[in-house]
PDB file of all heavy atoms in Angstrom:
ATOM      1  N   TYR Q 143     184.875  72.700  64.268  1.00 98.00           N
ATOM      2  CA  TYR Q 143     183.962  72.286  63.168  1.00 98.00           C
ATOM      3  C   TYR Q 143     182.779  71.463  63.663  1.00 98.00           C
ATOM      4  O   TYR Q 143     181.683  71.537  63.091  1.00 98.00           O
ATOM      5  CB  TYR Q 143     184.730  71.495  62.159  1.00 98.00           C
ATOM      6  CG  TYR Q 143     184.043  71.249  60.865  1.00 98.00           C
ATOM      7  CD1 TYR Q 143     183.636  72.302  60.051  1.00 98.00           C
ATOM      8  CD2 TYR Q 143     183.792  69.941  60.400  1.00 98.00           C
ATOM      9  CE1 TYR Q 143     183.020  72.103  58.841  1.00 98.00           C
ATOM     10  CE2 TYR Q 143     183.162  69.716  59.157  1.00 98.00           C
ATOM     11  CZ  TYR Q 143     182.763  70.799  58.378  1.00 98.00           C
ATOM     12  OH  TYR Q 143     182.107  70.603  57.227  1.00 98.00           O
ATOM     13  N   ARG Q 210     179.182  67.110  54.892  1.00 97.00           N
ATOM     14  CA  ARG Q 210     179.132  68.552  55.087  1.00 97.00           C
ATOM     15  C   ARG Q 210     180.330  69.237  54.466  1.00 97.00           C
ATOM     16  O   ARG Q 210     180.214  70.299  53.804  1.00 97.00           O
ATOM     17  CB  ARG Q 210     179.029  68.870  56.548  1.00 97.00           C
ATOM     18  CG  ARG Q 210     178.877  70.348  56.888  1.00 97.00           C
ATOM     19  CD  ARG Q 210     178.328  70.584  58.261  1.00 97.00           C
ATOM     20  NE  ARG Q 210     179.341  70.332  59.313  1.00 97.00           N
ATOM     21  CZ  ARG Q 210     179.104  70.591  60.582  1.00 97.00           C
ATOM     22  NH1 ARG Q 210     177.901  71.007  61.006  1.00 97.00           N
ATOM     23  NH2 ARG Q 210     180.034  70.357  61.494  1.00 97.00           N
ATOM     24  N   HIS Q 223     183.608  79.092  56.217  1.00 97.00           N
ATOM     25  CA  HIS Q 223     182.330  78.539  56.625  1.00 97.00           C
ATOM     26  C   HIS Q 223     182.354  78.088  58.080  1.00 97.00           C
ATOM     27  O   HIS Q 223     181.432  78.373  58.877  1.00 97.00           O
ATOM     28  CB  HIS Q 223     181.944  77.392  55.706  1.00 97.00           C
ATOM     29  CG  HIS Q 223     180.684  76.654  56.089  1.00 97.00           C
ATOM     30  ND1 HIS Q 223     180.715  75.387  56.654  1.00 97.00           N
ATOM     31  CD2 HIS Q 223     179.396  77.038  56.020  1.00 97.00           C
ATOM     32  CE1 HIS Q 223     179.473  75.051  56.927  1.00 97.00           C
ATOM     33  NE2 HIS Q 223     178.648  76.010  56.559  1.00 97.00           N
ATOM     34  N   ALA Q 224     183.426  77.411  58.458  1.00 97.00           N
ATOM     35  CA  ALA Q 224     183.528  76.875  59.818  1.00 97.00           C
ATOM     36  C   ALA Q 224     183.611  78.029  60.866  1.00 97.00           C
ATOM     37  O   ALA Q 224     183.026  77.954  61.910  1.00 97.00           O
ATOM     38  CB  ALA Q 224     184.730  75.982  59.961  1.00 97.00           C
ATOM     39  N   ARG Q 225     184.316  79.094  60.502  1.00 97.00           N
ATOM     40  CA  ARG Q 225     184.418  80.236  61.419  1.00 97.00           C
ATOM     41  C   ARG Q 225     183.128  80.901  61.665  1.00 97.00           C
ATOM     42  O   ARG Q 225     182.843  81.486  62.724  1.00 97.00           O
ATOM     43  CB  ARG Q 225     185.463  81.237  60.868  1.00 97.00           C
ATOM     44  CG  ARG Q 225     186.905  80.752  60.901  1.00 97.00           C
ATOM     45  CD  ARG Q 225     187.847  81.896  60.553  1.00 97.00           C
ATOM     46  NE  ARG Q 225     189.217  81.375  60.472  1.00 97.00           N
ATOM     47  CZ  ARG Q 225     189.874  81.134  59.328  1.00 97.00           C
ATOM     48  NH1 ARG Q 225     189.219  81.324  58.180  1.00 97.00           N
ATOM     49  NH2 ARG Q 225     191.104  80.641  59.341  1.00 97.00           N
ATOM     50  N   GLY Q 226     182.201  80.824  60.718  1.00 96.00           N
ATOM     51  CA  GLY Q 226     180.906  81.444  60.872  1.00 96.00           C
ATOM     52  C   GLY Q 226     179.821  80.521  61.451  1.00 96.00           C
ATOM     53  O   GLY Q 226     178.672  80.948  61.639  1.00 96.00           O
ATOM     54  N   MET Q 227     180.189  79.239  61.737  1.00 95.00           N
ATOM     55  CA  MET Q 227     179.230  78.324  62.261  1.00 95.00           C
ATOM     56  C   MET Q 227     178.968  78.471  63.770  1.00 95.00           C
ATOM     57  O   MET Q 227     179.860  78.884  64.480  1.00 95.00           O
ATOM     58  CB  MET Q 227     179.744  76.853  62.013  1.00 95.00           C
ATOM     59  CG  MET Q 227     179.669  76.435  60.549  1.00 95.00           C
ATOM     60  SD  MET Q 227     180.512  74.865  60.286  1.00 95.00           S
ATOM     61  CE  MET Q 227     179.930  73.882  61.646  1.00 95.00           C
ATOM     62  N   SER Q 228     177.804  78.065  64.180  1.00 95.00           N
ATOM     63  CA  SER Q 228     177.492  77.906  65.604  1.00 95.00           C
ATOM     64  C   SER Q 228     177.496  76.426  65.880  1.00 95.00           C
ATOM     65  O   SER Q 228     176.685  75.661  65.336  1.00 95.00           O
ATOM     66  CB  SER Q 228     176.133  78.556  65.927  1.00 95.00           C
ATOM     67  OG  SER Q 228     175.817  78.305  67.279  1.00 95.00           O
ATOM     68  N   ILE Q 229     178.451  75.949  66.683  1.00 96.00           N
ATOM     69  CA  ILE Q 229     178.591  74.506  66.919  1.00 96.00           C
ATOM     70  C   ILE Q 229     177.513  73.990  67.872  1.00 96.00           C
ATOM     71  O   ILE Q 229     177.363  74.530  68.993  1.00 96.00           O
ATOM     72  CB  ILE Q 229     179.981  74.211  67.524  1.00 96.00           C
ATOM     73  CG1 ILE Q 229     181.107  74.811  66.656  1.00 96.00           C
ATOM     74  CG2 ILE Q 229     180.161  72.705  67.695  1.00 96.00           C
ATOM     75  CD1 ILE Q 229     181.230  74.245  65.302  1.00 96.00           C
TER      76      ILE Q 229
END
Side-chain angles (χ1 to χ4, degrees):
Y143 193 60
R210 184 161 73 176
H223 174 253
R225 291 189 185 101
M227 287 170 46
S228 177
I229 306 296

